[in-house]
């Protein structure tokens, strides 16, 4: 079908152009004056370094995205998606095996194209700015492990979905949704216990002033914390972070060793107060619910679209087989990518609102000032951008900018009477 074929090309091209325009807009906004409230984040020398880092990253992203776009466009125009299936169907495999092999080939090919970029990013850019701590050996081991995990988990999930698709007809989207819900609950519950230990060591935080302060705050905030772990993030990068994982009895606080090294004790407690805020305000469940809702909409629309033979033709497949799970999935992913971007605007907006709420939770427990100095330190240590373009923030940021957060925290402090 000719018109659908051109619609696909238009979508792929428009998304790429919008993406690149936003990147360029953001890059051009880089020379802006630093707002007064942020004047103490960087020294002049360090700010110069930050600007260089910004340019290096932007150039890298531009090149990476352009190449991926060109490959996708050429492959699509040549009918590569359909031809690959045509070729595989010549082996007369079972449809499930065909789907798996199909995705394995596409996955492997895109992995091979991305690998040089990943190497360049780690060993050239991150290395140049002193972030990288990974070695070639560790990089290779990580690559093998993550490929195996993708193969097992991604392959398993796809097989299950393909199986339901071929056997359950109209019930597919509901049963598929049930699979996705169970999968995301399991993934959340097991992430810290199963996946993280494959890559990092997690050890309980030693008894001492920090643990005492964290426990004291947890009790005060009505959120007792008994499991605090330290993860050896310094093994790969000097960049710092902290997060909560799991829920119910399995929930745990995880601090990067790099965070402990760089922040004062009250600042660490303030960052944790923010994380506890996410829990207390139910953000974990809100995120999970919106994820499920999104999956439900996508699965339903996918099951409707998969009945169309026109999508198969537009992808370059002219055989008699119908429906074809993997081709329908690729057609769907391409066709709905604009809708996905629009949904992304909503979820990013929602996420930024939740960040303000979590900050407000920390400030309402008198941790506002410490949170501000802690966030400033994190920004400086990670060489983060102080003046992103507002449109870029609107589309791509899951967190408000540092300036927005500081202004909001200070406003709240005033409302609470200091
Ligand atoms: Zn947060």
């Amino acid at each position: 079908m000719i018109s659908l074929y051109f619609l696909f090309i238009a979508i792929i091209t428009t998304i790429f152009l919008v993406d690149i325009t936003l990147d360029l807009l953001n890059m051009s906004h880089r020379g802006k004056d630093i707002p007064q409230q942020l004047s103490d984040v960087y020294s002049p020398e360090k700010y110069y370094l930050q600007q260089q880092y910004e340019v290096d990253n932007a150039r890298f992203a531009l090149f990476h995205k352009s190449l991926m776009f060109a490959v996708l466009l050429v492959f699509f125009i040549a009918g590569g998606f359909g031809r690959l299936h045509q070729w595989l169907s010549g082996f007369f495999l079972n449809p499930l095996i065909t789907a798996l092999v199909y995705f394995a080939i596409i996955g492997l090919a895109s992995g091979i194209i991305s690998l040089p970029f990943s190497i360049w990013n780690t060993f050239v850019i991150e290395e140049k700015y002193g972030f990288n701590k990974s070695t070639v050996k560790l990089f290779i081991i990580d690559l093998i492990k993550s490929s195996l995990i993708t193969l097992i988990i991604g392959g398993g999930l796809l097989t299950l979905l393909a199986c339901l698709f071929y056997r359950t007809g109209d019930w597919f989207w509901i049963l598929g949704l049930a699979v996705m819900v169970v999968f995301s609950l399991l993934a959340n519950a097991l992430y810290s216990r199963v996946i993280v230990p494959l890559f990092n060591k997690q050890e309980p935080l030693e008894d001492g002033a920090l643990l005492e302060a964290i426990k004291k705050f947890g009790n005060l905030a009505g959120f007792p914390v008994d499991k605090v772990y330290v993860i050896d993030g310094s093994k790969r990068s000097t960049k710092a972070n902290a997060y909560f994982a799991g829920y119910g009895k399995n929930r745990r606080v995880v601090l990067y060793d790099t965070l402990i090294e760089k922040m004062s004790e009250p600042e660490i407690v303030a960052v944790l107060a923010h994380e506890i805020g996410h829990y207390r305000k139910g953000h974990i469940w809100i995120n999970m619910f919106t994820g499920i809702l999104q999956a439900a909409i996508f699965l339903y629309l996918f099951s409707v679209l998969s009945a169309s033979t026109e999508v198969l033709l537009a992808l370059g497949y002219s055989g008699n087989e119908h429906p074809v799970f993997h081709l329908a999935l690729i057609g769907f992913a391409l066709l709905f990518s604009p809708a996905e971007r629009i949904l992304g605007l909503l979820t990013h907006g929602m996420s930024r609102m939740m960040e303000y709420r979590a900050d407000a939770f920390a400030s309402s427990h008198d941790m506002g000032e410490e949170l501000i100095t802690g966030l400033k330190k994190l920004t400086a240590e990670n060489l983060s951008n102080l003046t992103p373009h507002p449109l870029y923030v609107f589309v791509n940021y899951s967190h408000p900018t540092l300036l927005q957060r500081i202004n909001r925290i200070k406003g709240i402090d005033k409302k609470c009477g200091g």
Side-chain angles (χ1 to χ4, degrees):
M1 172 113 177
I2 293 297
S3 60
L4 195 58
Y5 176 78
F6 286 112
L7 180 63
F8 275 129
I9 294 178
I11 289 175
I12 296 171
T13 312
T14 309
I15 286 196
F16 168 72
L17 290 177
V18 169
D19 230 20
I20 291 293
T21 309
L22 282 171
D23 283 356
L24 292 174
L25 207 59
N26 200 36
M27 182 129 110
S28 70
H29 208 249
R30 153 183 70 89
K32 287 271 176 262
D33 291 338
I34 303 171
Q36 182 61 38
Q37 296 95 308
L38 306 181
S39 56
D40 58 345
V41 174
Y42 291 112
S43 64
E45 299 79 37
K46 195 135 191 216
Y47 195 60
Y48 177 75
L49 203 68
Q50 193 281 328
Q51 297 277 292
Q52 293 299 310
Y53 185 55
E54 205 67 38
V55 174
D56 280 354
N57 273 322
R59 277 193 193 136
F60 175 77
L62 198 70
F63 183 54
H64 188 194
K65 285 176 186 172
S66 304
L67 187 87
M68 293 311 254
F69 163 71
V71 170
L72 176 62
L73 194 66
V74 168
F75 192 68
F76 175 82
I77 288 175
F81 289 110
R83 280 164 192 258
L84 179 59
H85 174 68
Q86 196 114 34
W87 176 70
L88 279 178
S89 58
F91 295 95
F92 304 106
L93 301 165
N94 150 320
L96 277 185
I97 309 271
T98 310
L100 260 188
V101 175
Y102 188 90
F103 283 121
I105 293 173
I106 298 273
L108 188 68
S110 78
I112 290 172
I113 299 171
S114 291
L115 186 60
F117 288 97
S118 171
I119 293 172
W120 185 269
N121 184 46
T122 305
F123 294 105
V124 178
I125 301 182
E126 297 290 288
E127 183 81 35
K128 180 174 161 193
Y129 294 92
F131 289 128
N132 180 44
K133 292 281 169 258
S134 185
T135 57
V136 174
K137 186 180 160 198
L138 183 61
F139 186 87
I140 294 171
I141 294 173
D142 281 352
L143 183 71
I144 294 171
K145 280 185 195 164
S146 56
S147 307
L148 282 176
I149 292 169
T150 312
L151 195 72
I152 295 166
I153 298 179
L157 194 61
L158 276 172
T159 313
L160 208 54
L161 286 177
C163 188
L164 290 174
F165 179 81
Y166 285 120
R167 303 218 173 137
T168 61
D170 288 347
W171 287 92
F172 162 71
W173 75 276
I174 295 181
L175 295 170
L177 185 62
V179 167
M180 301 284 268
V181 170
V182 172
F183 175 79
S184 76
L185 283 170
L186 270 179
N188 261 300
L190 297 179
Y191 176 73
S192 270
R193 287 170 172 222
V194 181
I195 306 290
V196 177
L198 294 172
F199 296 92
N200 284 90
K201 259 199 214 103
Q202 295 180 101
E203 273 162 4
L205 179 63
E206 281 170 29
D207 283 334
L210 180 59
L211 187 63
E212 284 308 309
I214 292 172
K215 283 188 172 172
K216 199 175 141 201
F217 180 80
N219 290 330
L220 202 76
F223 190 86
V225 177
D226 41 50
K227 290 176 199 150
V228 181
Y229 288 85
V230 181
I231 193 170
D232 59 344
S234 58
K235 175 173 161 187
R236 292 189 186 81
S237 170
T238 61
K239 289 185 175 172
N241 205 351
Y243 64 91
F244 255 91
Y247 28 68
K249 277 187 182 167
N250 282 317
R251 73 184 181 213
R252 54 168 74 173
V253 177
V254 183
L255 301 173
Y256 274 55
D257 52 356
T258 40
L259 187 90
I260 296 178
E261 204 178 285
K262 283 160 190 164
M263 281 194 185
S264 72
E265 188 193 296
E267 286 165 351
I268 296 172
V269 177
V271 167
L272 282 178
H274 168 100
E275 297 295 333
I276 290 175
H278 281 309
Y279 260 77
R280 287 299 305 268
K281 307 267 173 196
H283 295 167
I284 281 78
W285 300 110
I286 295 175
N287 279 339
M288 197 170 277
F289 177 76
T290 44
I292 290 169
L293 191 68
Q294 212 163 319
I297 296 170
F298 280 6
L299 279 167
Y300 176 72
L301 293 177
F302 168 69
S303 72
V304 173
L305 181 95
S306 64
S308 146
T309 48
E310 285 153 11
V311 171
L312 302 187
L313 277 174
L315 286 172
Y317 175 67
S318 49
N320 298 322
E321 210 181 321
H322 176 75
V324 183
F325 175 72
H326 41 285
L327 287 183
L329 194 58
I330 284 180
F332 175 79
L334 289 176
L335 207 54
F336 282 85
S337 48
E340 204 191 328
R341 292 304 172 105
I342 292 167
L343 269 177
L345 293 182
L346 287 175
T347 49
H348 275 148
M350 217 171 77
S351 163
R352 288 194 300 267
M353 217 160 70
M354 292 194 276
E355 291 307 319
Y356 283 133
R357 299 241 162 100
D359 283 349
F361 181 84
S363 331
S364 71
H365 286 85
D366 272 336
M367 308 250 58
E369 278 309 315
E370 290 81 0
L371 185 61
I372 289 175
T373 56
L375 288 174
K376 280 183 176 175
K377 268 191 198 170
L378 269 184
T379 302
E381 288 296 336
N382 296 346
L383 288 181
S384 302
N385 189 358
L386 292 184
T387 56
H389 193 284
L391 193 61
Y392 190 88
V393 174
F394 179 69
V395 177
N396 292 320
Y397 269 44
S398 63
H399 285 57
T401 64
L402 180 62
L403 181 66
Q404 289 172 323
R405 292 177 77 173
I406 290 177
N407 285 340
R408 208 49 101 84
I409 293 168
K410 289 200 163 149
I412 286 161
D413 278 353
K414 263 185 223 124
K415 266 182 242 155
C416 297

